[in-house]
Amino acid sequence: MTITASRYTRLLMVLVIPLLALGFLTAKFLLPYERFVTVLCMPAFAGGTENCRNVGPLNGALYEHVKKDFNAWFDVRIAPWDSNATITYYAGASNRMVTTAEIHEARPFYWYGSDVANYMRGLAGKIAVIQLGIEGGRRSMVEGDQVFLYCNSLNYDLTSGSYWSDCFGNGWGGPVTFTVAGRQDRAMLDQLQAAIGREIERKEADYQLYQVVVYPIFLYAFLVLSALAWLTMKAVLFVRAG
């Protein structure tokens, strides 16, 4: 039976959905894409920017190698936090200091009692120096209006310029919400947020490319084989005609 253009078009219309479904199943079960990215950041040596990179699997060889470059790290999370996001991530950054933090709220972890809650509420309104990344088990120091906090996380709130960190003192600990007044501090935190966002966007772009390539891969194969069959047929007819 001769395959005409109209017959080929009808055949393609019949096969397109099964071929796409086969590509989807292949992507899901045989060639699954790792939709998790681990990002570690450290200050760049020049230019005042952040050096963030995808370090592969969490606790993998490259991750452990990079972590050795600094003695202390802290976790970073950027709002909004969507557990159903296309790409999920863990981000960490090397220790650094915020010198102009204005504390708006301080709450204890749930296992502390009312005495700790009362103590931490007293931090609200104070100006603090915050060390992000705790080295050697150090603890926060509060002496009157002199506040130096050691914290092991940085969370970017939905409100621009607002952050909260898990901070620890002697016999107390919990999330501390703050803003920063210093231009350099704000620039540093903005650069860190932007650099992590770029790494996540790169992972999202890579995943989109993966979808474009893998999901229709059997459709691509059918089109390529069809083109090769057509060229072969034309070559045979040309040889016979000669």
Side-chain angles (χ1 to χ4, degrees):
M1 180 179 66
T2 303
I3 300 295
T4 63
S6 60
R7 287 174 177 171
Y8 179 79
T9 300
R10 289 196 296 271
L11 177 62
L12 182 60
M13 291 174 63
V14 171
L15 291 178
V16 63
I17 293 179
L19 290 174
L20 288 175
L22 186 59
F24 174 80
L25 293 174
T26 298
K28 185 173 181 62
F29 297 107
L30 296 181
L31 299 171
Y33 185 89
E34 178 56 72
R35 292 193 292 149
F36 180 86
V37 60
T38 305
V39 180
L40 291 182
C41 302
M42 60 192 72
F45 291 108
T49 59
E50 288 288 333
N51 177 20
C52 294
R53 54 176 166 161
N54 179 355
V55 295
L58 190 63
N59 298 320
L62 180 57
Y63 171 88
E64 295 294 346
H65 175 74
V66 173
K67 290 271 285 191
K68 292 178 181 178
D69 290 340
F70 290 86
N71 293 327
W73 296 78
F74 60 96
D75 300 335
V76 183
R77 296 181 69 196
I78 300 173
W81 304 290
D82 183 4
S83 59
N84 296 316
T86 302
I87 299 297
T88 56
Y89 70 93
Y90 165 78
S94 60
N95 57 304
R96 78 255 338 256
M97 186 178 293
V98 175
T99 60
T100 58
E102 181 180 352
I103 300 173
H104 292 270
E105 183 183 16
R107 296 178 288 110
F109 294 124
Y110 70 89
W111 54 82
Y112 287 112
S114 59
D115 54 338
V116 173
N118 292 332
Y119 174 80
M120 292 188 67
R121 274 196 293 268
L123 296 176
K126 294 182 182 295
I127 302 299
V129 175
I130 296 180
Q131 175 69 36
L132 296 169
I134 302 174
E135 182 180 354
R138 295 178 180 177
R139 289 295 180 261
S140 303
M141 296 173 289
V142 180
E143 295 182 3
D145 290 333
Q146 303 296 315
V147 181
F148 195 107
L149 300 180
Y150 280 96
C151 311
N152 67 356
S153 67
L154 175 66
N155 299 268
Y156 289 81
D157 209 338
L158 285 172
T159 303
S160 178
S162 181
Y163 318 89
W164 62 270
S165 297
D166 289 332
C167 305
F168 301 85
N170 291 318
W172 62 270
V176 175
T177 302
F178 62 94
T179 55
V180 294
R183 184 175 300 176
Q184 289 185 336
D185 286 338
R186 180 65 185 274
M188 180 265 291
L189 296 178
D190 286 348
Q191 289 167 2
L192 177 61
Q193 180 182 18
I196 292 173
R198 285 192 295 270
E199 289 301 316
I200 297 172
E201 288 172 357
R202 288 192 184 99
K203 187 70 172 180
E204 289 173 341
D206 187 66
Y207 179 55
Q208 291 170 359
L209 178 61
Y210 166 87
Q211 290 176 302
V212 169
V213 172
V214 177
Y215 284 10
I217 192 167
F218 292 102
L219 180 59
Y220 296 153
F222 175 77
L223 294 173
V224 170
L225 291 175
S226 298
L228 291 175
W230 182 82
L231 289 173
T232 301
M233 180 185 67
K234 288 295 184 181
V236 170
L237 291 176
F238 176 78
V239 172
R240 287 179 178 177

